[in-house]
Each structure stands twice: as C-alpha cells, then as structure tokens.
C-alpha cells in the first residue's frame, strides 16, 4: 500500500522541511547559539587532533544529544510560558 497523505500526516519531504524550519528557528535562541558555537569549537578541535572514527561518533553523538535536549527544553519553556505568566 502506497503512503498516502491524510489525517494530519505529511509527506517525507514536507516533514524534512518542518525539521529544517525548526532547526533554523533554534538559531534565534541565545542558549542554543552558545551550544552551536561550542560544538563548532569541538569539531575544529577534533579536526586539529585528528580524532579516530570512534571518537568522532562519540563526539558527534554527544553534540547531537545536547542540542536536541536543549531544543526540547526550549519547547517546554515556551509551552509553559503560553500557559502561565509567572516566572
């Protein structure tokens, strides 16, 4: 059965477009920009020190995990901000 777009489901290209939009929107967040900057430093250090493939996998997994969790944290904070005006 072919994949059909119905009941809120989107095609794969549309889903990728949404993901890219979310990543682009994350650049507006100060804390995530700090993570991106430090990630760039780690990658530059990895190139300089010639990491092994295993070290690259570990480093990039850690970077991806930190950025993903920071995005989840930001989403939760924004949702809470919509619900309450308290700090």
């Amino acid at each position: 059965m072919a994949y059909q777009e119905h009941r809120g489901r989107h095609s794969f290209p549309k889903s990728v477009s949404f993901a890219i939009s979310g990543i682009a929107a994350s650049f507006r967040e100060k804390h995530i920009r700090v993570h991106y900057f430090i990630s760039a430093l780690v990658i530059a250090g990895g190139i300089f020190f010639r990491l092994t493939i295993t070290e690259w996998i570990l480093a990039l997994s850690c970077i991806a995990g930190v950025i993903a969790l920071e995005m989840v944290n930001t989403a939760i904070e924004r949702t809470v901000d919509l619900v309450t005006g308290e700090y």
Side-chain angles (χ1 to χ4, degrees):
M1 180 174 173
Y3 181 79
Q4 296 177 1
E5 192 171 335
H6 58 81
R7 288 184 283 177
R9 293 185 180 156
H10 299 283
S11 66
F12 180 74
K14 191 74 167 175
S15 296
V16 171
S17 173
F18 289 147
I20 291 170
S21 295
I23 292 169
S26 75
F27 280 95
R28 290 191 289 260
E29 296 294 323
K30 179 182 177 185
H31 292 93
I32 294 178
R33 282 196 313 261
V34 170
H35 289 296
Y36 285 136
F37 177 74
I38 293 171
S39 297
L41 292 178
V42 169
I43 290 169
I47 292 168
F48 180 78
F49 290 111
R50 298 180 182 187
L51 296 182
T52 66
I53 196 73
T54 303
E55 292 167 335
W56 273 115
I57 290 169
L58 291 172
L60 294 176
S61 295
C62 289
I63 289 170
V66 167
I67 291 174
L69 288 174
E70 186 63 35
M71 287 180 179
V72 169
N73 182 49
T74 300
I76 291 170
E77 287 175 353
R78 290 229 177 146
T79 302
V80 170
D81 289 346
L82 290 172
V83 175
T84 182
E86 297 176 23
Y87 180 74

